[in-house]
């Protein structure tokens, strides 16, 4: 199977979307029903400040709690519109922000931040002028507007419709900020909608039920339960613990400096996909095969290039005195739910 393919299907009764490159699973989105989806918007009620952190605990509907990192100036009992920014760790509050965005495939409406901006990735001045003209025709709002890179090559009518839809949604949700009880105002996008919104490159789209089985997606998902990942040049283990995700890179029997560099570079290229498919985030520590400081620079350059293309925000912290490489990854997805594929 050559080319790029997006498959919209279900695993059992759970909505999911898969992204394949030449038949190889490159990304997977699986709905999680046990917690609010990222992007969901709530009217939350301020509960209590967290001293020393400057944050505020918030009350959500149905007894859920949220944590707002910047809570300065807020008082207990005050209502506030917040948006879910990621997945809560077990036993912790849902992370939220008060900088609410209304995001779709082509347009992002930004309340409180007026102005019209176009993605810097669109460099053709004629295209930028055409997008500005489209936006000025339909966008008459005190909110701000960002036109995403996916607008390049898109139909002008579709871009206009997206702008109007996000503006209307913002105008409907923002007046609901006032109230004495917490309330869910939007539920956030499911995997099929997120795939449409974010996987914007040219690809074949398959929506037939049962396509995960027919196109080998479930077989590839089985491998995600295994910690060991073959690299071609050695192998690595990716294992989540309570405190962090531990990655151990090995060469096998060949312990030469050349083999070490090859294995480490292969691991640097493979790591974003391995973390993305498994939904792993938080603090990540990589134990590369021992190498010279000159080779470390090559590996770090490869890591930065690999994670630059990854959709999940990852901060590459650097090397520890013991020669480990540390990074911090945003929790945008839940860990891969192994139970879903058991028995299918």
């Amino acid at each position: 199977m050559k080319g790029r393919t997006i498959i919209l299907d279900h695993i059992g009764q759970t909505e999911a979307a898969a992204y394949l490159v030449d038949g190889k699973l490159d990304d997977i989105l699986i709905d999680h029903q046990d917690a609010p989806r990222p992007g969901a918007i709530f009217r939350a009620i301020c509960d209590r400040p967290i001293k020393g952190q400057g944050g505020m605990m918030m009350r959500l509907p149905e007894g859920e709690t949220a944590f707002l990192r910047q809570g300065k100036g807020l008082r207990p009992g005050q209502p506030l519109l917040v948006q879910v920014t990621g997945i809560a760790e077990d036993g912790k509050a849902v992370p939220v922000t008060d900088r609410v965005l209304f995001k779709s495939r082509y347009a992002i409406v930004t309340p409180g931040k007026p102005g019209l901006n176009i993605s810097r990735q669109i460099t053709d001045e004629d295209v930028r002028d055409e997008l500005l003209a489209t936006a000025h025709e339909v966008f008459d709002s005190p909110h701000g507007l960002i036109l995403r890179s996916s607008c390049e090559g898109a139909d002008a009518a579709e871009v206009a419709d997206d702008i109007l839809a996000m503006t209307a949604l913002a105008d409907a949700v923002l007046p609901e900020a006032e109230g004495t009880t917490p309330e869910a105002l939007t539920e956030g996008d499911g995997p099929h909608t997120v795939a449409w919104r974010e996987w914007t490159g040219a690809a074949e789209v398959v929506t037939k039920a049962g396509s995960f089985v027919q196109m080998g997606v479930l077989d590839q998902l089985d491998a995600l339960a295994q910690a060991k990942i073959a690299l071609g040049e050695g192998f690595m283990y990716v294992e989540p613990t309570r405190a962090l995700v531990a990655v151990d890179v090995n060469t096998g029997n060949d312990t030469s400096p050349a083999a070490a560099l090859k294995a480490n570079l292969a691991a640097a290229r493979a790591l974003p996909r391995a973390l993305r498919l498994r939904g792993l985030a938080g603090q990540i520590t990589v134990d590369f095969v021992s190498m010279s400081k000159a080779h470390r620079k090559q590996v770090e350059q490869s890591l930065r290039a690999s994670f630059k293309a990854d959709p999940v925000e990852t901060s590459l912290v650097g090397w520890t005195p013991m020669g480990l490489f540390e990074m911090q990854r945003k929790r945008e997805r839940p860990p891969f739910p192994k139970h879903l594929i058991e028995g299918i």
Side-chain angles (χ1 to χ4, degrees):
M1 184 192 304
K2 295 295 183 181
R4 300 174 185 271
T5 307
I6 296 171
I7 306 175
L8 308 180
D9 199 0
H10 290 74
I11 301 175
Q13 300 299 315
T14 302
E15 184 178 303
Y19 189 77
L20 276 62
V21 178
D22 296 335
K24 183 178 181 181
L25 184 65
D26 190 70
D27 204 351
I28 184 76
L29 302 172
I30 301 175
D31 202 8
H32 54 291
Q33 301 161 346
D34 298 333
R37 291 170 173 166
I41 299 174
F42 292 88
R43 182 207 301 128
I45 305 298
C46 297
D47 190 13
R48 56 185 175 84
I50 304 299
K51 294 181 180 179
Q53 297 185 31
M56 175 70 74
M57 297 300 297
M58 317 286 293
R59 287 190 285 117
L60 299 180
E62 299 181 6
E64 291 267 12
T65 59
F67 176 68
L68 179 67
R69 188 172 296 277
Q70 300 294 333
K72 185 177 180 180
L74 299 176
R75 64 183 187 280
Q78 179 180 342
L80 187 70
L81 280 188
V82 297
Q83 189 166 38
V84 178
T85 59
I87 302 297
E89 297 180 66
D90 288 343
K92 294 189 177 181
V94 177
V96 296
T97 179
D98 59 350
R99 298 175 182 177
V100 176
L101 301 176
F102 297 87
K103 183 178 182 180
S104 189
R105 184 181 178 97
Y106 302 116
I108 304 175
V109 170
T110 59
K113 293 188 175 181
L116 174 56
N117 296 283
I118 299 176
S119 169
R120 293 178 181 177
Q121 295 182 36
I122 301 177
T123 57
D124 188 304
E125 290 300 327
D126 290 338
V127 173
R128 295 178 69 89
D129 288 343
E130 290 172 3
L131 289 172
L132 280 172
T134 298
H136 283 306
E137 285 180 8
V138 298
F139 188 69
D140 181 17
S141 171
H143 313 311
L145 175 67
I146 300 172
L147 296 181
R148 305 181 69 193
S149 59
S150 53
C151 291
E152 188 166 20
D155 182 79
E158 292 184 2
V159 174
D161 288 345
D162 223 25
I163 294 172
L164 290 171
M166 289 302 99
T167 305
L169 181 60
D171 290 341
V173 169
L174 293 174
E176 299 296 324
E178 295 301 321
T180 58
T181 59
E183 183 178 348
L185 303 176
T186 71
E187 63 178 9
D189 294 332
H192 291 180
T193 302
V194 173
W196 169 80
R197 192 184 76 202
E198 302 297 336
W199 297 345
T200 56
E204 177 188 4
V205 179
V206 178
T207 59
K208 182 180 177 182
S211 294
F212 277 179
V213 174
Q214 296 169 10
M215 303 184 75
V217 173
L218 290 187
D219 292 336
Q220 296 190 57
L221 290 179
D222 283 335
L224 301 183
Q226 307 301 318
K228 186 176 181 179
I229 301 171
L231 297 173
E233 303 289 349
F235 54 91
M236 67 179 175
Y237 289 90
V238 178
E239 298 178 285
T241 71
R242 179 68 180 174
L244 51 80
V245 177
V247 180
D248 182 34
V249 184
N250 295 275
T251 60
N253 294 326
D254 189 345
T255 58
S256 67
L261 179 59
K262 287 182 180 179
N264 289 338
L265 289 174
R269 291 190 295 268
L271 190 54
R273 175 179 177 270
L275 297 174
R276 185 168 65 245
L277 293 179
R278 289 164 176 78
L280 298 177
Q283 182 179 336
I284 299 162
T285 301
V286 187
D287 184 11
F288 286 107
V289 185
S290 297
M291 56 185 160
S292 67
K293 289 187 177 180
H295 285 169
R296 278 191 187 182
K297 292 183 179 179
Q298 289 182 251
V299 171
E300 186 171 351
Q301 288 174 351
S302 181
L303 277 172
R304 294 193 182 281
S306 297
F307 279 100
K308 186 177 181 180
D310 189 71
V312 181
E313 181 183 334
T314 304
S315 174
L316 304 184
V317 179
W319 302 93
T320 71
M322 294 183 65
L324 305 175
F325 192 89
E326 293 185 328
M327 58 187 73
Q328 188 74 27
R329 189 170 173 86
K330 187 176 179 181
R331 296 185 185 277
E332 291 187 356
R333 307 177 182 186
F336 176 70
K338 300 176 184 178
H339 66 277
L340 282 183
I341 61 172
E342 293 176 356
I344 295 180

